[in-house]
Amino acid sequence: IVIMMSGSSIDLSYLRDSNGIGAMLWTGYPGEYGGLALAEVVSGVVNPAGRLPITFYPADYVHQVSFFDMSMRPSATNPGRTYKFYTGQPAYAFGYGLSYSQFEYQWKDSHVTELKTSHVHVSNLKSKLTSFTVTVTNAGPYDGDNSILAFVSSQIPGAPIRQLIGFNRVHLPVGQSTQMSFFVQLTYLAHFDEAGQRWLHPGTYNITIGTPGIHVHSIIVQGKPVRL
């Protein structure tokens, strides 16, 4: 077992791909109770349910981006930064994390929501546009927690490739299920351009659960781009 403490991402692909490594545990900087927390996870007293709060880039990322280029969005000389804009293949993605158990997702209301930009007004940006329900089941051999992450993604130029719009954490004994509901607001679909203006663009927005994402819902926005 490899235990790593760091304040930023490090390419661990060579460890991940090694036959001599059974598991890797990243702790960040855990503080004075870090030793106890590590011992409980490694010994199986605690079933881990953490998720990576950052993107772990491949080692050659440092050669792809100039130190003087602080742009978030991808360009001809920059593959983008953070999980929102990075266009490459990460060593480990934002939101990744394993458990000693296995959890399965099923969902209801898997339909398409349609919206016209002519009906959008600043006063209803935070109103509920739609919602969906995910059933989480502990299908593994151990009781444990599961962190459910919901993302919105699109192929709209300038918009984030994917963006976290909700999350929840639930404890489930073996074989038990629970339902988690997520609400989508208009603000989750809008994005800021490089001039700091917030826009809602026509296109298809897909709602996904987990990393990698499981598609559970789509929102189709029709009409002309509108500044909010």
Side-chain angles (χ1 to χ4, degrees):
I1 298 175
V2 174
I3 297 173
M4 183 181 71
M5 299 181 184
S6 70
S8 60
S9 66
I10 298 176
D11 187 356
L12 302 174
S13 300
Y14 70 101
L15 294 175
R16 178 195 63 199
D17 300 335
S18 171
N19 293 328
I21 303 299
M24 294 186 293
L25 185 62
W26 181 79
T27 67
Y29 292 138
E32 63 180 312
Y33 279 93
L36 176 61
L38 282 170
E40 290 181 337
V41 169
V42 171
S43 64
V45 173
V46 171
N47 190 352
R51 296 289 184 264
L52 281 180
I54 56 177
T55 299
F56 275 42
Y57 301 102
D60 62 353
Y61 181 77
V62 296
H63 303 298
Q64 298 174 12
V65 182
S66 168
F67 186 78
F68 300 101
D69 185 353
M70 294 290 106
S71 299
M72 296 289 289
R73 289 174 169 82
S75 66
T77 59
N78 186 337
R81 296 177 184 273
T82 77
Y83 80 98
K84 292 183 178 182
F85 296 105
Y86 180 54
T87 55
Q89 181 64 40
Y92 285 100
F94 169 88
Y96 182 83
L98 298 177
S99 166
Y100 293 144
S101 197
Q102 293 86 40
F103 294 88
E104 297 177 350
Y105 297 154
Q106 294 179 322
W107 53 92
K108 297 181 178 180
D109 306 321
S110 183
H111 59 271
V112 174
T113 299
E114 295 186 354
L115 171 71
K116 295 184 182 296
T117 57
S118 58
H119 297 163
V120 174
H121 189 269
V122 174
S123 61
N124 61 12
L125 286 182
K126 293 188 177 181
S127 61
K128 185 178 75 172
L129 176 62
T130 188
S131 64
F132 58 93
T133 300
V134 178
T135 300
V136 185
T137 301
N138 185 346
Y142 305 105
D143 297 349
D145 287 11
N146 185 244
S147 299
I148 305 100
L149 280 62
F151 297 86
V152 61
S153 61
S154 75
Q155 299 296 322
I156 296 171
I161 298 171
R162 65 199 304 253
Q163 179 167 299
L164 183 69
I165 61 171
F167 64 91
N168 216 324
R169 179 166 172 159
V170 61
H171 178 80
L172 285 174
V174 173
Q176 291 197 11
S177 302
T178 190
Q179 292 185 340
M180 307 299 300
S181 294
F182 293 88
F183 299 92
V184 180
Q185 301 175 356
L186 276 173
T187 51
Y188 299 165
L189 308 184
H191 73 275
F192 289 89
D193 62 17
E194 295 184 355
Q197 302 292 329
R198 183 166 59 181
W199 291 84
L200 177 64
H201 287 266
T204 299
Y205 298 81
N206 293 318
I207 308 298
T208 60
I209 294 292
T211 301
I214 303 170
H215 181 209
V216 298
H217 196 89
S218 291
I219 301 171
I220 298 176
V221 178
Q222 299 173 333
K224 297 180 179 180
V226 57
R227 192 173 69 179
L228 304 175

